[in-house]
Amino acid sequence: MKKIRAFINNSNISKFRFYFQIAAFVLFVYGGYFYVTISEKLPTFACPFNKGSGGTCYLMPLQHQLHMTWSRFIGPGGIHLLKGFLVFACFGLVFSKAWCGYLCPLGTIQDWITKLRKVLHIRFSKYGETTFKGLKKIKYILLFLLIIIPLGVSNSLLWLPKFSHDIFPPFCKICPGRIVLPLFTGDTSQIYIDFSTKTAMTMTALGMIVTGIFFTGSFFKKRFFCLFCPMSALLYIFSKVAILRLNKNVAKCTRCGNCYRVCDVGIKEIADDVINKNIVKDDCMLCLKCVEACPEEGCLEVSFFNIPVFMSTETGFFKRYCLRNEIK
Amino acid sequence: MNEKAKIRLIIEVKKSLKEIMDDFSDVPEEMGYFYERFRAFFEETPNNGKKVIATMCIHVPVELIYAVGAIPLRVCSGARSMAEIGEEFFPAKACPLIKSTFGALYLNIFPMAAAPAMIINPTTCDHKKKIGEMAEDIDSCFYTLELPPTKETEEARFYWHMVVKKLAKELERVTGQRLTRKKLKAAIGIVSLAQAQLRRLYNIRKGNPVIWGNNAILVANAYFFDDIANWTDRLSRLNDELEDRARRNQYVVGQEAPRILLAGSPSIFPNMTLPVMIEQMGGIVVAEEFCSSSRSLYDMVAVDEWSLYDMIPAIADRYLKPGICPCFTPNIDRKRRLLNIAGDFCIDGVIYNSFAGCQLYQMESRHVEKILEQNGIPMLYLETDYTSDNTGQLTTRLQAFMELLQDQKS
């Protein structure tokens, strides 16, 4: 048992993650062809517009279920919404943010783009702390909008006229997943701008623009789109109570900042927070690179059902970061 | 004057080394190499035409120096004779470490008879800040490395990144060699191997004592001037021997000896009075919180993308973020680190030494004492300098503290 534990702790989880992501990508993008349908309430961007999806993103049914008149909320519509959310919550409670780091196909594509940039020896871009904090708020705004707009399509909000149905489903219209993921199954039909009405044109054009930003952004900044992802905001609800956790033994932290350095989404608290034990933040995708980069024995630890499954070790750090570039 | 001072220094070195070698028995065989290094402290060593870059503090990123094909040499001095020379330049109550270091610089006396092409001086304490302005008194080219006064903010971090980048450029200019991705990666590798061995030594010292604390301090001190590959190799052999000793339960002192953590101003050879005295009185120094030993090599560089663009900031971060020098404000990390060491090394008592004149260490001592007290760890505060004037009083206070710890243990 001790040996197995040491083997896991000293292993290169990033490599494991790379292959795991490929497997998950195949499952979520091509699984449908093999009659795999895991669920329609997945907390990950497996896009329903892609015919091969082996399970689909929860944001789509969420928007549809919110698209109803107030009266239907107290009745079958409400129950339906609640049931959907409970299924989604179950997924979120088990794997928490690991959905983002290990399973999300859109996240995987961004990691591949980063790999391409590294091969080309092109620099990444840097942000000031304040810019970064400002950008991060966008995902909460998007989450708010994707809830409020479907309500506004079926109801009059604040005595305003109802929104045009052409705006629906609002997030899917602007989500790059809708355009990018079908491409992997040879479906280019999502690349379009709908000129039928003004609203439709705005929304589909926005979708194209966001897709453009998605590619350029994630080329220069790791996991760029994840900063704005409303799913990430929604999953954050469960991270404090989820079964899969990232814990920090704060007494052991030297605040060397290695974890912050390697963090793809630039979470500063992981290095600076020496009060909280549960260290999963809203942008975290549980990729566990921080655990790999921590040279302090047992300072960062991943637990499942309170059983530690992977923790930072001195030996592991040297194996991963130093001895491999031994010269002479 | 130069010759006379040099002779006095050599006598001092010999005396200090002799005391350690004579008074402590049962030392590991592999210590022989390190004793020999100190015996040959001033003998010229060949360096294959490589330029020597002197550093005055642990906040100098040595990886950059290795990467431009030069050799770092830490010139912080523990010699009383040199402090006496330095007295001419500093106020009476200045720190002896600075006086001694500056004295040696003034006389051009360097370990290994080196002639540094450049002296990098980080602006840590007030003394170091002002020493940069006294550069006209010495021959060597002085370079001021602007260390920010805090390490908490992103602003400080980015400022430091720029400072380190500037240093990299200056090093390229001085050595005439270009800093490349490959060379820097190799340099990080070389230093990390040394770090791995030093960390191993600390892990060994967490258990029952198989090495005298003063010996361990000497080993870390040798890193100041020794060839890094040799040093790493020798330390690895020493570690093998120590691990072997631990397996055979061959300890240098019994279980009853109080385990001491030495904190504060560093003991730099030949100023080994404090650790030697503690261990002569039946204690054992199992850990030091010194910039001359544990802190110099402990923290690791973690690079995300192996390009110069990311490597240089990664190295810069390693020399700023985990720093616990009292020159930083706030410096809560130092107290946290001390508590962590106290737990890991099963410390019975902390001896906090501050050089007379080091206000930063003096001012932090009260906070440290309070926090240690809250955690039930006794602390003795001492103020020393390089002279032996107050040895009598020092002995009495140390003896009383040791007795207290021994009583607590039994």
Side-chain angles (χ1 to χ4, degrees), chain A residues 272-328:
Chain A
D272 285 356
D273 191 339
V274 283
I275 296 155
N276 294 308
K277 191 173 186 276
N278 188 334
I279 208 82
V280 178
K281 297 285 157 196
D282 57 352
D283 283 313
C284 180
M285 51 166 176
L286 283 175
C287 68
L288 310 183
K289 271 170 86 180
C290 47
V291 185
E292 283 191 317
C294 177
E296 301 308 314
E297 202 79 18
C299 179
L300 287 172
E301 166 207 275
V302 187
S303 69
F304 195 71
F305 270 119
N306 281 332
I307 303 162
V309 286
F310 179 55
M311 63 164 86
S312 58
T313 56
E314 205 172 78
T315 330
F317 177 87
F318 279 108
K319 257 191 166 158
R320 288 182 288 258
Y321 275 90
C322 303
L323 301 184
R324 67 174 170 196
N325 49 40
E326 189 173 343
I327 307 292
K328 276 177 273 177

Side-chain angles (χ1 to χ4, degrees), chain B residues 9 37-38 41-42 45 47 51-63 65-66 70-79 82 95 97-98 100-102 104-105 109-122 124-125 128 142 145 198 202 217-228 231 264-270 288-298 318-319 325-326 355 361 386:
Chain B
L9 180 57
R37 290 309 286 154
F38 282 102
F41 201 36
F42 295 104
T45 35
N47 47 23
K51 287 211 162 112
V52 174
I53 308 285
T55 67
M56 287 182 49
C57 172
I58 53 164
H59 289 283
V60 179
V62 291
E63 284 88 350
I65 299 176
Y66 285 117
I71 307 168
L73 173 77
R74 187 141 161 228
V75 292
C76 299
S77 165
M82 292 297 112
C95 160
L97 171 55
I98 285 293
S100 179
T101 308
F102 193 79
L105 292 184
I109 297 178
F110 294 101
M112 308 292 108
M118 177 182 172
I119 301 171
I120 305 174
N121 173 44
T124 46
C125 63
K128 290 248 170 86
F142 226 73
L145 192 69
L198 195 83
Y202 287 127
I217 293 173
L218 275 188
V219 169
N221 244 205
Y223 175 75
F224 279 26
F225 54 85
D226 203 1
D227 172 66
I228 188 163
W231 184 84
S265 302
S267 294
I268 296 172
F269 187 81
E288 313 87 38
E289 182 256 341
F290 281 169
C291 55
S292 62
S293 61
S294 60
R295 281 169 47 203
S296 67
L297 275 168
Y298 187 78
R318 173 253 182 271
Y319 287 93
C325 177
F355 285 147
Y361 271 124
Y386 287 1

Side-chain angles (χ1 to χ4, degrees), chain A residues 117 222 253 255 261 296, chain B residues 298 304-305 310 317 336:
Chain A
R117 178 179 56 73
K222 284 167 220 164
C253 178
R255 295 220 299 169
R261 268 215 72 71
E296 301 308 314
Chain B
Y298 187 78
D304 193 28
E305 291 187 18
D310 197 36
D317 276 351
R336 294 181 47 249

